[in-house]
Amino acid sequence: MARRNDHSREQLKDLAIESVFNIVDSDECATVTARAVTQGMGYTVGTLYLVFSSIDDLLLQVNAELLKRLHSDMQFAVKNEVDPQATLFAMAKCYFLLAEHYPGRWKLLSRHREKLGDEETDNIVESIFTLVETELARLAPIRNNKEIAIAARALWSAIHGICVVNASSHLRHRVHYDARSLVRTLIHTYLSGFMSDNIAPPT
Amino acid sequence: MARRNDHSREQLKDLAIESVFNIVDSDECATVTARAVTQGMGYTVGTLYLVFSSIDDLLLQVNAELLKRLHSDMQFAVKNEVDPQATLFAMAKCYFLLAEHYPGRWKLLSRHREKLGDEETDNIVESIFTLVETELARLAPIRNNKEIAIAARALWSAIHGICVVNASSHLRHRVHYDARSLVRTLIHTYLSGFMSDNIAPPT
DNA sequence: TAACTTATTAAACATTGTTTAATTTGTCAA
DNA sequence: TTGACAAATTAAACAATGTTTAATAAGTTA
């Protein structure tokens, strides 16, 4: 089945995704062009369309791969921590470190969140939320399933938002203290409120 | 000074910004092209470059305008609420409603946050944060300036993050309950933790 | 060995941002 | 009033992208 090079469709996909990583890792502001991607794989532009339906399709699959790795990192955190709160810190750290160490990859992730994702991507995101929910449930038994689900999304949104602000911090900010402690403070403060049995907010 | 049409540079700027609004309001997924913008103003593409240095420059000024209006809305909220917590709810609502009623405009805002902003834009953002800080300070006198500043950014990041997730919710979410109450719950929970004198998080 | 299949490419096309040279329009001085 | 100048506006060109298509080349198989 293989021709000129011994690369199956699957291998071509991996090559392309790898090439995208190389591009955004070398320069987080670089634009991922079809020609740059295929040049990085040692192919020409047409080959990309043999394996992906469009550039957006490629980037979608890149993001799916990123999310899979994130989920894997977070699972590792769950295994290595005992305290639920410590686990949540560790999981948040996984996300934060992705943004800090691989800003280019993380920007792909946050830039394409707006576009419609396919079912696979959504499922990975769901599995990530499930990890968070499990810890929240252990931490605040007084909360019901719905409250847990909402809290997981709110908390994760907040962490994501901090990464966004951090990524776009132009040094010029009046308050600049590091995003790492910002995340820690956020989780701590939020959980403190979440665990106490305060009354429901006004409607 | 005016020639063919009686449009000063300033008027051309306003026309262009208005045209961008029209484009993204009519279809939040529409791409804002130079030709579409100028066609909407009744000019041709070259005129745009008489007034803006690039498309990015135009979008930057569009975002500045959006932020100005947001700040104005939030100031209005401050005037019309007495309780600090109610004021914070009202301010968050301003941002949330922008995302809900003008998703196209809001996407411009969140999409271009990553690009380096000019000083003017940063100043507007700072003034918005100042409004939030003022209410937080009234609410939690035990917190010092730095804590207030961090809390304002964390809280706002969280609200922004919720809007992001909401904007990209593909109906398919297992938990879908409305973002409005998500924001309310988040603020309530966060403030509950912020106002109590819990210990500092572990380092 | 020859026909066929298909991976791969080179070239073409459409759409964008941006620049440039031409054109049109108003202003002002003689 | 008219002719020269300045400025606004445009049409056309250019480069970089995503995408498609027709040609080419390499392997497979009868």
Side-chain angles (χ1 to χ4, degrees):
Chain A
M1 280 298 172
R3 284 301 145 89
R4 263 263 283 257
N5 284 329
D6 307 71
H7 289 139
S8 66
R9 301 295 173 103
E10 210 50 46
Q11 284 175 316
L12 284 177
K13 275 195 181 186
D14 291 345
L15 274 177
I17 292 175
E18 194 65 30
S19 178
V20 172
F21 285 158
N22 286 335
I23 291 170
V24 299
D25 285 347
S26 74
D27 173 14
E28 59 179 284
C29 293
T31 46
V32 180
T33 78
R35 286 163 181 86
V37 171
T38 45
Q39 184 178 331
M41 332 163 37
Y43 281 84
T44 56
V45 64
T47 304
L48 203 61
Y49 290 84
L50 191 71
V51 185
F52 300 97
S53 67
S54 67
I55 280 282
D56 271 2
D57 181 29
L58 165 59
L59 292 178
L60 209 66
Q61 301 207 30
V62 167
N63 283 344
E65 175 64 28
L66 281 172
L67 288 170
K68 274 182 211 158
R69 296 185 188 183
L70 176 63
H71 180 256
S72 162
D73 288 351
M74 288 171 67
Q75 273 185 318
F76 187 80
V78 171
K79 274 189 189 148
N80 285 267
E81 302 284 346
V82 283
D83 178 41
Q85 182 155 336
T87 306
L88 285 168
F89 278 128
M91 291 197 295
K93 197 175 174 184
C94 293
Y95 191 66
F96 181 82
L97 287 183
L98 169 63
E100 193 172 73
H101 288 152
Y102 298 101
R105 303 185 188 193
W106 179 79
K107 281 184 180 179
L108 285 183
L109 212 46
S110 73
R111 192 177 307 140
H112 280 262
R113 193 188 292 267
E114 57 203 33
K115 308 209 168 159
L116 300 179
D118 60 349
E119 188 161 347
E120 191 204 356
T121 307
D122 280 4
N123 286 340
I124 305 172
V125 172
E126 280 301 317
S127 69
I128 287 175
F129 274 132
T130 301
L131 292 180
V132 177
E133 286 171 0
T134 303
E135 301 307 312
L136 286 178
R138 289 176 60 197
L139 204 58
I142 53 171
R143 302 295 182 179
N144 63 36
N145 281 349
K146 195 165 167 185
E147 288 173 313
I148 297 276
I150 287 178
R153 279 147 189 81
L155 190 53
W156 204 258
S157 294
I159 292 165
H160 172 73
I162 289 175
C163 291
V164 170
V165 171
N166 188 46
S168 73
S169 92
H170 313 318
L171 312 180
R172 218 183 295 111
H173 279 171
R174 189 162 57 77
V175 178
H176 191 252
Y177 266 47
D178 77 313
R180 205 176 303 242
S181 71
L182 226 154
V183 167
R184 205 156 35 224
T185 303
L186 168 83
I187 296 181
H188 179 76
T189 304
Y190 186 83
L191 291 184
S192 164
F194 190 63
M195 285 158 51
S196 73
D197 54 349
N198 48 36
I199 54 171
T203 315
Chain B
M1 279 299 173
R3 284 300 143 91
R4 257 254 295 244
N5 284 327
D6 306 74
H7 288 139
S8 66
R9 301 293 175 103
E10 210 50 46
Q11 283 175 318
L12 284 177
K13 275 195 180 185
D14 291 345
L15 274 177
I17 292 174
E18 194 66 28
S19 178
V20 172
F21 285 158
N22 285 336
I23 291 171
V24 299
D25 284 347
S26 75
D27 173 13
E28 59 178 284
C29 293
T31 46
V32 179
T33 76
R35 286 163 181 83
V37 171
T38 44
Q39 184 179 331
M41 335 165 32
Y43 281 84
T44 55
V45 64
T47 304
L48 202 62
Y49 290 84
L50 190 71
V51 185
F52 300 97
S53 66
S54 68
I55 281 282
D56 272 3
D57 181 29
L58 164 61
L59 293 178
L60 209 67
Q61 300 205 31
V62 167
N63 283 344
E65 175 63 28
L66 281 172
L67 288 170
K68 274 182 210 159
R69 295 186 189 183
L70 176 63
H71 180 258
S72 161
D73 288 351
M74 288 171 67
Q75 273 185 319
F76 187 80
V78 171
K79 275 190 189 148
N80 285 268
E81 301 285 346
V82 283
D83 178 41
Q85 184 156 336
T87 306
L88 285 167
F89 278 127
M91 292 197 295
K93 198 176 174 185
C94 293
Y95 191 67
F96 181 82
L97 287 182
L98 169 63
E100 193 172 75
H101 287 153
Y102 298 101
R105 302 185 188 193
W106 178 80
K107 281 183 180 179
L108 285 184
L109 212 46
S110 72
R111 192 177 307 141
H112 280 263
R113 193 188 295 266
E114 57 203 32
K115 308 209 170 159
L116 302 179
D118 60 348
E119 189 162 346
E120 190 204 356
T121 307
D122 281 3
N123 286 339
I124 305 172
V125 172
E126 280 301 316
S127 70
I128 288 175
F129 274 132
T130 301
L131 292 180
V132 178
E133 286 171 0
T134 302
E135 300 308 312
L136 286 178
R138 287 176 62 196
L139 204 58
I142 54 170
R143 300 296 181 180
N144 62 37
N145 281 348
K146 195 165 166 185
E147 288 174 315
I148 298 275
I150 288 178
R153 278 147 190 83
L155 190 54
W156 203 258
S157 295
I159 293 165
H160 172 74
I162 290 174
C163 291
V164 170
V165 171
N166 188 47
S168 74
S169 94
H170 312 317
L171 312 179
R172 218 182 296 114
H173 280 173
R174 187 163 58 78
V175 178
H176 192 253
Y177 268 44
D178 76 315
R180 206 174 305 239
S181 71
L182 227 155
V183 167
R184 206 157 33 226
T185 303
L186 168 81
I187 296 180
H188 180 76
T189 305
Y190 186 82
L191 291 184
S192 163
F194 190 64
M195 285 157 49
S196 73
D197 54 350
N198 48 37
I199 53 171
T203 316

